[in-house]
Amino acid sequence: MTKAKHFQLILILGSMTALGPFSIDMYLPGFSGIAADLNTTVAKVSMSLSSYFIGISAGQLLYGPLLDRFGRKKPLFIGLMVYILASLACAFVTDIDAFIGFRFVQAVGSCAATVASLAMVRDLFPAKETPNVLSKLMLVVGLSPMLAPTAGGYVTTYFGWHTVFLILAAMGAFVLLATQLGLPNTHKPDLSISLKPKPIITNFISILKVPQFYTYAFTGAIAFSGLFTYVAASPLIFMDILKVDAEIYGWIFALMSISFIGSSQLNSVLLKRFSSEQMIFAALISQSIISFVFLILAINDLLGLYETIGMLFLFLACLGISNPNTAGLSLAPFSKNTGSASALMGATQLGIGALASFGVSLFVKDSITPMVVIMTSTTILALFILIIGKRKIKMTIVNTDDDAMAMVH
């Protein structure tokens, strides 16, 4: 593969990955405008964010089997068409309930790009190269929360919130054209894969039974829930408890994104010297130490603004290293049903992240400590799953080798 072709593939896969984060973050500055135009409250408008998350969770599991059964391009085309039409409907809607409903449909459509991008990384690149490619895609995912709200703020101020959804529809159209014209057919349709509920569930269960998948998918998802915890708690922590204004909070959010992006790019460099397994273990050990120090400081009321920023910066840097590697190793055993595996991995990450966010809404009130307790607990649990799971993987390899020797004998 030439460097130009490699760059082109990364660019298209990156644009597919960016569609979801932009759809979540770009309309946030328009909440009050939407509430005023649709004669409702900002709290009711925020339900459109919840409906989007529900749509993502449902859509991930829907597209996995479709991408394996019909190949990558057909489901991707249909999903992106659904996304474009739902985005246009959001732009011209006149009722809040319809808006919430169309946001759900928009999420289901965007999932086609999210799940297909992960599956196509596994199709297009060797298993060894996958974590490196995913690190580059992490750059897009990390940049999106920095760029989308800022761009959305300017668009909303000068052109109104409706224009945000017209821009999202245009982005969807661009991704549709780029994927159809610029990506090869990476996976032949497999008509042996059934779309009936029972075989689909059986297929997901068979994926879950693979030790390498459940070890790295759950390790990655539980560790990554620390990011969801931070995102959910950060407005309360910085603006309510540490009394920072909205503008400064925006800059803090950008700084944290730089930590996550920077470490995910450092991961690409470190992978030239170390294996993905070594990187995950080192990142989780570091994350555990940082979490414990963070917790001791929080319990003893030693956290001011700068100390909190510093500890969160270090914590998120560990995630930027572990996440691409756990994703790469989760998908490595699959060549036949990669779509289903990537969908299951995404749904797991989102589901566990949503639980962590819910924990924040219950416990984080007037102290930083509950947030740090959740972060520390999930980190230790992820490390525990990694250690136990690696033993299972070794046992599987040993048993496979023994079976092979018995057959040869």
Side-chain angles (χ1 to χ4, degrees), residues 236-295:
L236 193 66
I237 297 296
F238 288 114
M239 292 198 277
D240 286 10
I241 297 171
L242 296 171
K243 307 297 179 191
V244 162
D245 65 33
E247 194 177 330
I248 299 294
Y249 167 70
W251 283 107
I252 292 169
F253 206 91
L255 178 68
M256 297 307 171
S257 297
I258 289 166
S259 166
F260 185 74
I261 295 163
S263 62
S264 67
Q265 298 319 292
L266 175 65
N267 180 59
S268 297
V269 177
L270 292 172
L271 279 169
K272 291 171 185 173
R273 290 195 59 188
F274 304 101
S275 70
S276 286
E277 289 89 347
Q278 289 173 316
M279 296 289 287
I280 294 164
F281 190 70
L284 270 175
I285 291 288
S286 304
Q287 194 173 318
S288 301
I289 294 165
I290 290 160
S291 299
F292 271 119
V293 173
F294 202 179
L295 187 59

Side-chain angles (χ1 to χ4, degrees), residues 22 56 60 92 122 150 153 172 178 224 239 255 279 376 385 398:
F22 263 83
I56 289 177
Q60 297 244 355
F92 297 108
R122 180 66 186 86
T150 311
F224 200 67
M239 292 198 277
L255 178 68
M279 296 289 287
T376 308
I385 288 169
V398 168

Side-chain angles (χ1 to χ4, degrees), residues 63 66-68 70-80 109 112:
Y63 282 109
L66 290 175
L67 288 163
D68 290 332
F70 298 110
R72 308 302 187 219
K73 283 197 168 184
K74 269 188 186 174
L76 184 57
F77 180 85
I78 293 165
L80 287 169

